[in-house]
Amino acid sequence: MNKVYSKIESINGSVITVKADGVKYGELAEIETAFGTSLAEVNKLDGDTVSLQVFTGGRGVSTGDNIRFLGHQMQVSFSSDLMGRIFNGSGEPRDKGPALKDNLTDIGGPSVNPAKRIMARRMIRTGIPMIDMFNTLVVSQKLPIFSSSGEPYNELLARIAMQAEVDVIILGGMGLKYDDYLYFKDTLENAGAMSRTVMFIHTAADPTVECLMIPDMCLAVAEQFAIQGKDVLVLLSDMTNFADALKEIAIIQEQVPSNRGYPGDLYSQLASRYEKAVDFDDAGSVTILAVTTMPGDDVTHPVPDNTGYITEGQFYLKRGRIEPFGSLSRLKQNVNGKTRDDHRALMDNMIKLYSAYNDTLEKKSMGFMMSDWDNKLLKYGVLFEKQMMDLSVNIPLEGALDAGWKILAECFNPEETGIKSELLSKYWPKN
């Protein structure tokens, strides 16, 4: 039977301290207050002084309340019954469905042994040309979406959730506005995608500590599905809110702050989540795509800056579209040589021509006369942005490649594209 402690040493916001022995970091405890029972998590050990983060906050907690340590860390239920369900950061139902208490698995465990991993070598199709054609998402990849405030990153995640060719989607929301939560819920339900989706949602009105649980719950469930042979795509929004929750708790605990007040272990905290991406040698896979908003559109902000050292590239979301410059999927070369023989050549040359289009726009804005070549580039840039970069475009990879050839043929002569003659003779539109 677990010991019960009835003397709280101090209460500092949502963090309480108690003298206890035999307690482990990350262990859960129940606090019996006058308003009911609340969960708390051990987040600091100093000898026999134990600090706990109370899920519902410190309001209503008194120094004489009873604390019972449960002997285990936060757990989440795993079964096929999870499909179509929505939970909060404590693992409790948000959709008014039944609570799931069977087949519990610990969250926040270690990353998969490298001996059990295989090289990333399979493409995840999304129907979005700027991903499939130009920066292919690869099974077991970990990629952030760097976004300015106000960009439609949640709309992009919802589209990926509806269209990605995977077995299971796990959507984790951190610090979401309630409207954004409803947007995800309604969009996926209306599209019929909830049947393969599990959602763990923390809204801005929920306790801060629950925000920290969301990635670990998503990844623990994803790993269990992957062990069963499923290809799982984990979508997280947004990791900056997760880092801000770490920062808030570190300040309450009076930790020595690092860059811009974030805790010194920010890199390790982020890496321990992203490194859960894996392709098992004898089972399924976990792929992670996570939004990271950049305060002030500053990529040197500690959260995107640390994230860039962990992940395998990034997507930049600006002006409502995925920018071709700066966006990079470092693993795309593992797969885009196996899709279609024109994929790499078309991808490289279309981006090269789009870069020339941007140079021409700058010349035009300064009043330079436009040559015939400049006018061709101006026409090309408009078509490229409309048919390739617009996030409303939804076509398979092969359709995007065919559309690329049609755009080139509408604007240039074959010899002006820089593409090899054998590919031109095979794919250049005849009419």
Side-chain angles (χ1 to χ4, degrees), residues 11-16 52-58 208 248-249 252:
I11 303 172
N12 183 10
S14 58
V15 176
I16 64 173
L52 302 101
Q53 178 78 30
V54 185
F55 280 40
T56 56
T208 300
E248 181 179 332
I249 292 172
I252 292 173

Side-chain angles (χ1 to χ4, degrees), residues 180-248:
D180 290 333
Y181 157 56
L182 291 179
Y183 172 79
F184 278 125
K185 178 176 177 292
D186 295 342
T187 300
L188 296 182
E189 285 179 347
N190 293 336
M194 281 299 292
S195 60
R196 63 164 188 168
T197 302
V198 185
M199 294 173 63
F200 292 91
I201 301 295
H202 169 268
T203 69
D206 294 334
T208 300
V209 67
E210 289 188 10
C211 182
L212 303 182
M213 301 293 176
I214 294 293
D216 291 335
M217 285 192 166
C218 291
L219 294 165
V221 170
E223 195 170 78
Q224 293 301 313
F225 275 119
I227 290 171
Q228 292 188 352
K230 305 289 187 182
D231 285 324
V232 187
L233 178 58
V234 179
L235 304 174
L236 301 174
S237 178
D238 111 38
M239 292 302 287
T240 300
N241 288 338
F242 169 80
D244 287 342
L246 287 173
K247 178 180 178 179
E248 181 179 332

